[in-house]
Amino acid sequence: MAQSIDSELAELRANALLRQLREVDSPQQPTLELAGRKLLNFSSNDYLGLATEPVLRNAAKQAIDEYGVGAGASRLICGTLSPHMRLEERLADFKRTEAALVFSSGYATAVGTIGALMHKDDVVILDKLCHASLIDGARMSGAHVRVYPHNHLGKLESHLQWAHENYPEARVLVVTESVFSMDGDWAVLPEIVDIKRRYGAMLMLDEAHAVGVIGLNGRGLADQLGVAGEVEIQMGTLSKALGVSGGYVCGSRRLIDLLINRARSFIFSTAPPPAMAAAALAAVEFMLTPAGENRRQVLRRNLAHFASEMPMLFTGDKKLQSAIIPIILGSSEKAIESSQMLAEKGFFVPAIRYPTVARDAARLRVTISAKHTPKQISALCEQLRGLLK
Ligand code: PMP
């Protein structure tokens, strides 16, 4: 007999895996108003503080005045408004690709792109720590799916060899994030590029947590490591360091033409609001200004400050490579307890549990922003040191 909804919820609760929504009654900023309490926010992906940036707000307001609030239809009907086109031109320019395409969310980007490119008898090979949207895209495409342990080049190569021997005619796609969303570390990109090139496979790189933060003008990790020209499908989100919402793919003109014709989450969904596109365009332009560079420098300084106060987190091969810092505690109960304890002290640091991470790898996920002050970071570190004793 099917499990009842009540018993399913009870099971989640018993395993410390039940999630509940929390209402935030303030903008995204270092201080959040949560259930009537002010908490210092170390949980947001708004790494540069752009979600509340005046130039972005003004761009959105102006677009509302000019174009209204809704796009009215899907992009292929009559929903492609000038702000969408300008944003895509700018993104292609920014990432130095022939073309770009914007989706309503990063999730829709991943699912739509993999689904458009990959079919039954093709092969998708993913890093085990890839985001759910990439995994769902691979599964929904109907292609054969192979997963390699995080950054494990030998296993990646053996999957490519398997695909070559068993499906010599197939399209083969390797998928990885550049900065991993729950661990904050980097993909071993030059090596992955070298292997996929030897096997004639394509590479899809999700730069969700790198764009805006890493690389010249925040172009991402592939740019920083000098391999952007070798990445066929450069995906990212507009929802994290860029401060708005939506996702994008940058690549060749023919890739984008195929996505326009085949990506179901693009075709069968109303175009994003024009204000979103206008704000995202302002965000990309902000990246290229001295103010953008300054914001990245402040973020780097804040990260160095955190690392100097928490050296025990960065021993051996554990390096601070992004604005995401996992503090792995093991059980869900321990992670929740620690998050609650921090909330009592005035800090919002979320507990991340299964299925977002492995069952025995529940953690606190600290994110640092350019808007935090060194004093706020020191105050958090004092609590974290107490917790890790
Ligand atoms: N890819 C990665 C690596 C992510 O972390 C996320 C967001 N959690 C997404 C894609 C989805 O992006 P969005 O939130 O814009 O849908």
Side-chain angles (χ1 to χ4, degrees):
M1 207 173 71
Q3 190 182 18
S4 75
I5 290 177
D6 282 341
S7 89
E8 197 169 337
L9 287 170
E11 190 179 313
L12 285 171
R13 191 174 289 110
N15 291 316
L17 293 174
L18 188 73
R19 271 81 163 174
Q20 271 157 335
L21 297 177
R22 285 176 283 222
E23 181 174 333
V24 173
D25 191 20
S26 63
Q28 279 300 322
Q29 53 197 14
T31 311
L32 283 186
E33 183 105 17
L34 207 122
R37 286 190 62 213
K38 279 198 170 26
L39 294 181
L40 269 180
N41 181 18
F42 285 94
S43 70
S44 169
N45 300 318
D46 179 26
Y47 304 121
L48 300 178
L50 290 195
T52 51
E53 186 64 22
V55 282
L56 273 70
R57 290 181 191 239
N58 290 336
K61 285 178 194 160
Q62 206 178 326
I64 289 174
D65 288 344
E66 270 182 58
Y67 296 95
V69 287
S74 66
R75 289 285 303 273
L76 289 177
I77 306 293
C78 65
T80 296
L81 306 178
S82 300
H84 301 115
M85 296 305 282
R86 296 297 87 75
L87 172 60
E88 286 166 351
E89 287 159 13
R90 204 77 183 97
L91 277 168
D93 222 40
F94 179 61
K95 299 286 277 184
R96 303 189 181 109
T97 56
E98 285 174 7
L101 194 67
V102 167
F103 293 68
S104 313
S105 71
Y107 186 93
T109 309
V111 167
T113 300
I114 301 178
L117 281 172
M118 307 306 285
H119 310 293
K120 187 174 161 295
D121 288 341
D122 289 334
V123 181
V124 186
I125 305 173
L126 307 103
D127 186 291
K128 187 169 185 349
L129 297 189
C130 274
H131 188 257
S133 56
L134 300 163
I135 297 167
D136 291 357
R139 285 190 186 143
M140 284 159 68
S141 74
H144 300 282
V145 179
R146 289 288 180 276
V147 173
Y148 58 95
H150 183 45
N151 269 336
H152 194 305
L153 297 169
K155 210 61 196 171
L156 165 62
E157 182 154 7
S158 68
H159 286 322
L160 283 162
Q161 186 62 35
W162 172 85
H164 175 71
E165 282 163 13
N166 292 281
Y167 298 95
E169 304 296 321
R171 271 189 200 157
V172 181
L173 179 68
V174 176
V175 182
T176 182
E177 293 177 30
S178 62
V179 167
F180 282 84
S181 64
M182 295 299 142
D183 291 70
D185 62 335
W186 293 2
V188 286
L189 213 42
E191 291 83 354
I192 292 173
V193 164
D194 176 57
I195 295 176
K196 72 93 190 171
R197 196 198 301 125
R198 280 196 277 114
Y199 284 84
M202 296 184 289
L203 177 61
M204 175 167 175
L205 182 66
D206 182 354
E207 296 252 32
H209 295 275
V211 72
V213 176
I214 293 175
L216 180 69
N217 299 127
R219 284 191 174 86
L221 185 63
D223 183 81
Q224 165 130 339
L225 299 178
V227 296
E230 307 263 6
V231 182
E232 289 82 1
I233 303 141
Q234 299 195 45
M235 178 196 151
T237 60
L238 304 165
S239 53
K240 304 184 194 300
L242 297 183
V244 191
S245 86
Y248 66 82
V249 170
C250 290
S252 66
R253 183 72 255 169
R254 63 180 199 282
L255 168 72
I256 300 304
D257 287 344
L258 186 73
L259 296 183
I260 291 171
N261 283 278
R262 289 265 195 262
R264 294 172 68 83
S265 60
F266 175 83
I267 299 168
F268 298 107
S269 187
T270 296
M276 180 212 106
L281 173 61
V284 177
E285 283 174 351
F286 186 86
M287 293 299 131
L288 303 166
T289 63
E293 192 46 47
N294 176 266
R295 214 51 81 82
R296 273 186 293 280
Q297 266 174 26
V298 175
L299 177 59
R300 277 195 292 273
R301 265 207 309 273
N302 280 350
L303 289 167
H305 181 69
F306 181 92
S308 73
E309 294 231 1
M310 298 295 292
M312 66 294 256
L313 294 178
F314 307 104
T315 53
D317 58 358
K318 285 205 198 100
K319 286 188 238 129
L320 178 58
Q321 294 187 302
S322 72
I324 302 163
I325 302 131
I327 300 177
I328 299 184
L329 298 170
S331 73
S332 296
E333 288 82 359
K334 180 96 198 287
I336 301 235
E337 211 175 87
S338 306
S339 176
Q340 280 168 351
M341 190 280 277
L342 287 168
E344 277 156 29
K345 305 273 185 191
F347 300 89
F348 185 28
V349 182
I352 307 289
R353 296 163 274 169
Y354 179 82
T356 309
V357 294
R359 278 187 198 276
D360 58 351
R363 65 196 64 187
L364 294 172
R365 177 179 182 265
V366 176
T367 52
I368 304 281
S369 136
K371 288 288 174 131
H372 288 124
T373 64
K375 212 167 136 198
Q376 290 170 333
I377 294 170
S378 293
L380 172 71
C381 290
E382 193 184 331
Q383 295 302 326
L384 292 176
R385 284 193 300 269
L387 199 95
L388 292 175
K389 255 191 213 141

